[in-house]
Amino acid sequence: MNCQSKRQAMLSGAAREIYMLLKTQTADGLPLEGIGELIADNIDSTQNDEARIQYANAHARNDDFEKERLLILRRWSKFFEGKAPLTEETATSFIRRFLNNLNHRLLFNESITIGKTRFIVGESLLDDVISFYDSNRKAWTFQLTIEGSGSYSFGETIPVEPGTAILLAPEATCHFHRTLDSNRWVHYWVVFEPKPEWLELLKWPTLSQGIYKLDISEPDTISQIVAVFDEALKHKTGETPLTSKLHNNLFEQVLIRTSQDNKELNIAPFDLRIEKACQYLKENFTKNVSISQLAQHCQLSESRLSHLFREKMAISINQYKIHLRLQYAKQALIETNNPISVISDQLGFPEPSQFSKFFTKHAGKNPKKFRDDHTNS
């Protein structure tokens, strides 16, 4: 089989797999087997193959996934039900339609995920996929272009070249893709939940609401950052219980080096009142701490504390409380053999069923499956 035939067979096979997934499943239950080569060809990530596919599959742009699923099926069914030929061009168009419906709305299963994406004409199966980000996501995203050029649109359009870093806060709305006049766009990316002490490192020049840009001018700094990313890519997300801590450490180095290269940034000390609030919530995350109690502890009014907390942390107090509980639960499921009922009790849930419901809602899978997946990987 020559290269062209192999490419067509791979595209057709991937398209058929996606079609069958959409035909038989809903957003909450997409099986992840069968299209790894398609995603892996475009995404070089620290994640294992299943997680790479989840990166593409699990993040529907439309809140009403069922409506979007039916629209896609109606439009493309004739090509997969034998009523029209499934050509390479048709398969490519279908896959692009599917991928263009994706974004990062859902939080990754880890508190930080690091990867590298390559869109290269003639090498990647899909070199013109447009990624869409809508507001109200839970995670931040960092992207650093190292080859070629890309384009970000958010009312206006800006190009990015090697050395340009883009930061997308949870409230950002934009889409981005390889620029048409460049045959490639290669960039590192990080999807992460910021530590409180990182917030001052994330105060970059603003392009639009939740969208920030820095140009890294020193070649040595770029080389150092690339080396840090390459080190991170050697360790797959979820590979060991300590991998997430390693990734957080390496990414903190990236943020520090980026800030050092841009001396015009005014890095102020982190707000001690919010630091005090975060510390109190960390020490009492198994308890149902009210905003009133927290405000009294920080000697602020409830409204002032809520406003300051969201301003500094980019999430609400309740979202931060959920984050703390969820991260403890994930760590306990991965690093200990404690029964799920014990972990539920440690987190202050009256019944294991309530913990299971909480975990499934926020982690995307139930506690047993989460533990089994990490044990098997």
Side-chain angles (χ1 to χ4, degrees), residues 191-208:
V191 178
F192 65 98
E193 301 169 19
K195 296 180 179 180
E197 60 267 28
W198 290 1
L199 270 295
E200 293 300 328
L201 297 173
L202 301 178
K203 288 188 174 180
W204 294 9
T206 302
L207 293 176
S208 183

Side-chain angles (χ1 to χ4, degrees), residues 1-14 41 88-89 91-92 95-96 120-127:
M1 181 182 292
N2 60 35
C3 292
Q4 186 66 26
S5 299
K6 183 178 180 180
R7 173 187 171 88
Q8 182 169 349
M10 183 179 293
L11 281 167
S12 298
D41 190 74
E88 178 181 338
E89 181 180 0
T92 301
I95 294 170
R96 282 186 177 142
I120 302 175
V121 175
E123 293 185 23
S124 302
L125 285 178
L126 300 172
D127 49 60

Side-chain angles (χ1 to χ4, degrees), residues 9 36 44 81 106 155 168 202 219 222 251 254 278 331 348 357 361:
D44 180 11
E81 305 293 345
L106 302 181
L168 302 173
L202 301 178
I222 296 175
F251 183 53
V254 170
C278 289
Q331 186 174 359
K357 184 177 180 180
K361 177 181 179 180

Side-chain angles (χ1 to χ4, degrees), residues 196 200 203 268-277 300 304 308 311-312:
E200 293 300 328
K203 288 188 174 180
F270 188 67
D271 193 309
L272 294 179
R273 296 167 295 180
I274 302 306
E275 184 175 347
K276 186 176 182 179
L300 291 168
R304 180 59 176 160
L308 271 179
E311 179 184 283
K312 297 295 183 180

Side-chain angles (χ1 to χ4, degrees), residues 124-143:
S124 302
L125 285 178
L126 300 172
D127 49 60
D128 289 318
V129 171
I130 299 174
S131 296
F132 180 90
Y133 273 53
D134 66 354
S135 59
N136 298 317
R137 291 169 294 111
K138 296 181 180 179
W140 290 65
T141 300
F142 170 99
Q143 296 176 332

